Amino acid sequence: MTLPTEATVPSVLGIVSTFIGILGGMLGAYTFLDNYILRFKPKFLIGDRIYLTYEKHKKIQEYSHLSSLIIQFEIFNHRNKLGRIEDIFVRIYDSRKLEASVLDLFPLAALDSMPTNRDEVIAAERVPPSPIAIPNKSSKTLVIEMAQEKLHNGTVDPSGFLKVQCLYKSTTGKWRKFSEFSLHAAYEEKSTYDKFTIYNFDRTERYAEREKLKRRKIATEVNSYKGVSNYYLSFWLPRPYWRAKEFVQAAPKLVIFLCGLATATVRNCLSEAIEWRVVKRTAARSRKPKITVGNARNARRTDSLIAKLKPLIEHKVTELNSRAKASDAITIEIVDTSITLKKSGTQVRVYVGGDGFVGILRSPLNSPMGETVFTIRVKEFAFGSYLWTLSGRPVFASTIATRVVDYLAFLHG
């Protein structure tokens, strides 16, 4: 065994110094990417308890629509920059149905805390929702009440196989899906308050995990008294271990300190050389507000679809009435932006809900309120091509007309 000479010691120190410099440079590069290049990508955890509130119809007592959904999110921002979530969007539907009615829910109010029981749902204090800002390297708890848009009063059966999809809107304007789960309805977990009925659900995945844990066998240990010697030995023996561990951990801590020092130096240079110069050049400039308008191209496509549906639905209704009794005939009313079919106390209305969106609403006769049956949306492809989709499936106008007439005939068939 040979001892290191005077010539080898400086070379070893040079290798260590080079290694620390490379490591500091790598950490500095990662910090630069984390601060300026990598986009904000939050992580979400969904609370176990979810409340669904149903409200009775004012005139039709046996019909209740989904009034609101209360859910809790834990949002984590692991980036080294401020994160911002512009909006939250939730979809819920009954997966056991062939043509499931998909309900779109948007933020209605924010709650200070998650209700611990159904009684607290009614009494909870609510404030208007707002965009969510999450500081760097931190998390935020959000309890939010979701509801359908005004005049949309669809429903899902609380005893069904309910599926939930959650999306968020980033600062770039893109919607990204962050969770999809099922709801487990516990037995008799509901309460009625005047015209409201509140159900509380658990996530099916968490419920299944707990059921597996209940069936898992565990090995139990029995402790016995081992005397006063064991008591003192438990204090004396760990002392050398902790001293050795403290000595071993000193070197990595020193490396971490030096890396942090190098990172701070690199960050300071970038801040003074780039950030401050950009601030001095742009801070005094005025910025013109961005003004957005509706999608004119989708508006023309929507008008074209309604124009095609009017003669198609009218022709199919005429054919159907020719085979039915006069008392079972379907009547049709056509105006500029809607088509209304009526039969036996029920009406189905096809209406323009927006640019690129056509809704089909079922309701009592001459009532503006009702249940959304189908949603028809435009889907764009390359080179200006597009298709209309019914419940997410591509269709032509003739198929839409058949579905509308068939649905009303099925209700009173």
Side-chain angles (χ1 to χ4, degrees):
M1 179 177 179
T2 59
L3 296 175
T5 62
E6 294 181 357
T8 59
V9 171
S11 61
V12 172
L13 293 176
I15 293 173
V16 173
S17 177
T18 302
F19 173 76
I20 293 175
I22 294 173
L23 187 60
M26 293 174 62
L27 290 175
Y30 173 76
T31 302
F32 175 77
L33 292 173
D34 196 22
N35 285 342
Y36 302 102
I37 306 300
L38 299 178
R39 64 179 176 84
F40 169 63
K41 189 176 181 181
K43 292 184 178 180
F44 290 79
L45 289 180
I46 311 296
D48 292 341
R49 178 61 55 86
I50 295 173
Y51 295 97
L52 266 63
T53 303
Y54 289 78
E55 182 180 359
K56 288 184 179 180
H57 194 276
K58 294 180 180 179
K59 297 181 179 179
I60 308 174
Q61 294 298 320
E62 63 273 12
Y63 177 76
S64 297
H65 70 273
L66 181 62
S67 175
S68 67
L69 177 150
I70 296 179
I71 188 171
Q72 177 176 328
F73 301 108
E74 188 74 22
I75 311 173
F76 296 87
N77 178 16
H78 61 281
R79 295 287 184 225
N80 198 25
K81 63 174 68 173
L82 177 67
R84 181 181 172 91
I85 295 175
E86 297 294 333
D87 203 356
I88 297 283
F89 174 56
V90 171
R91 281 176 170 161
I92 183 171
Y93 64 96
D94 188 349
S95 61
R96 69 181 176 181
K97 292 189 176 181
L98 183 62
E99 285 287 350
S101 179
V102 181
L103 306 188
D104 298 335
L105 308 180
F106 297 90
L108 174 66
L111 283 67
D112 292 336
S113 60
M114 187 68 177
T116 57
N117 53 57
R118 294 183 294 277
D119 295 334
E120 293 185 3
V121 172
I122 299 295
E125 294 187 1
R126 293 164 168 82
V127 297
S130 61
I132 308 157
I134 310 173
N136 58 319
K137 304 293 184 182
S138 64
S139 64
K140 188 168 186 177
T141 301
L142 176 68
V143 180
I144 191 166
E145 184 175 26
M146 315 290 295
Q148 302 177 72
E149 291 179 311
K150 193 174 182 180
L151 302 181
H152 288 72
N153 294 312
T155 190
V156 290
D157 190 346
S159 63
F161 297 89
L162 301 183
K163 285 274 190 178
V164 179
Q165 294 180 355
C166 302
L167 301 90
Y168 78 94
K169 184 180 181 182
S170 64
T171 52
T172 60
K174 294 183 179 180
W175 287 96
R176 304 180 187 276
K177 186 170 73 172
F178 63 84
S179 183
E180 183 174 359
F181 56 90
S182 303
L183 295 182
H184 168 74
Y187 179 70
E188 291 297 330
E189 292 291 324
K190 69 174 183 178
S191 300
T192 301
Y193 309 86
D194 192 18
K195 63 179 180 179
F196 295 102
T197 301
I198 300 176
Y199 296 79
N200 58 274
F201 294 83
D202 297 324
R203 290 166 49 209
T204 302
E205 296 83 356
R206 293 297 298 271
Y207 174 80
E209 290 176 3
R210 291 166 181 170
E211 289 299 313
K212 290 180 181 178
L213 286 175
K214 292 179 183 178
R215 295 190 294 267
R216 182 181 297 177
K217 295 181 179 180
I218 63 171
T220 58
E221 294 183 359
V222 180
N223 293 325
S224 60
Y225 178 67
K226 297 181 180 180
V228 70
S229 61
N230 180 73
Y231 175 77
Y232 281 100
L233 287 174
S234 64
F235 283 104
W236 295 340
L237 292 179
R239 289 181 181 177
Y241 165 76
W242 289 112
R243 288 182 179 178
K245 184 178 180 180
E246 184 179 2
F247 178 77
V248 172
Q249 290 179 341
K253 289 180 180 179
L254 179 61
V255 173
I256 293 172
F257 168 74
L258 294 175
C259 293
L261 189 63
T263 301
T265 303
V266 173
R267 183 178 299 168
N268 182 69
C269 294
L270 293 173
S271 176
E272 293 298 322
I274 300 176
E275 290 183 21
W276 180 237
R277 292 187 178 182
V278 172
V279 170
K280 288 192 295 184
R281 286 178 175 270
T282 61
R285 297 178 184 176
S286 61
R287 296 176 176 84
K288 295 182 179 180
K290 294 183 178 179
I291 301 175
T292 58
V293 297
N295 193 320
R297 182 170 53 184
N298 283 345
R300 290 193 298 269
R301 294 170 178 173
T302 307
D303 293 340
S304 175
L305 176 65
I306 290 293
K308 291 179 182 178
L309 287 177
K310 288 176 181 178
L312 288 171
I313 292 178
E314 192 173 17
H315 174 71
K316 292 180 185 293
V317 168
T318 303
E319 285 192 3
L320 203 62
N321 287 340
S322 65
R323 300 171 179 269
K325 299 178 182 179
S327 58
D328 294 332
I330 299 174
T331 60
I332 182 170
E333 297 178 1
I334 298 177
V335 296
D336 292 338
T337 59
S338 69
I339 308 166
T340 304
L341 287 73
K342 299 181 180 181
K343 180 181 178 182
S344 302
T346 305
Q347 68 180 19
V348 174
R349 186 166 65 95
V350 183
Y351 66 96
V352 176
D355 298 340
F357 172 79
V358 175
I360 302 175
L361 188 74
R362 167 198 171 187
S363 64
L365 286 179
N366 304 319
S367 173
M369 309 296 291
E371 174 188 358
T372 299
V373 181
F374 303 118
T375 56
I376 307 167
R377 300 179 186 275
V378 70
K379 185 175 182 180
E380 296 187 357
F381 298 90
F383 307 111
S385 57
Y386 69 96
L387 285 173
W388 288 97
T389 61
L390 175 66
S391 298
R393 299 178 178 88
V395 290
F396 291 114
S398 58
T399 303
I400 298 172
T402 299
R403 290 290 178 89
V404 172
V405 178
D406 177 64
Y407 178 76
L408 184 59
F410 173 75
L411 290 177
H412 301 282

